[in-house]
Amino acid sequence: MSLYTQYTYEKKWTKTSEKEALRMISEEMPETDAEGTLAYILNEISKGKTITLGECRFKG
């Protein structure tokens, strides 16, 4: 599955690797478990949802 990200101030979605997504999650929410959060995001986007975390959005 492809992972796309977009900051709230951007207009274009960018294809992102899981490693880069982990970095973004760590920056947006440093107090959370980045790997657990990524697993949740991947699970939800597989259902067609868009997840917003801080100023970053994730979709599949």
Side-chain angles (χ1 to χ4, degrees), residues 11-45:
K11 294 184 179 189
K12 292 179 69 178
W13 288 91
T14 305
K15 189 170 184 176
T16 307
S17 68
E18 287 190 21
K19 182 179 177 182
E20 184 71 10
L22 283 170
R23 184 193 61 76
M24 294 168 84
I25 293 166
S26 295
E27 286 179 0
E28 291 294 320
M29 304 290 273
E31 69 279 359
T32 63
D33 172 31
E35 291 182 8
T37 303
L38 180 60
Y40 168 77
I41 289 170
L42 292 173
N43 184 42
E44 292 301 308
I45 65 173

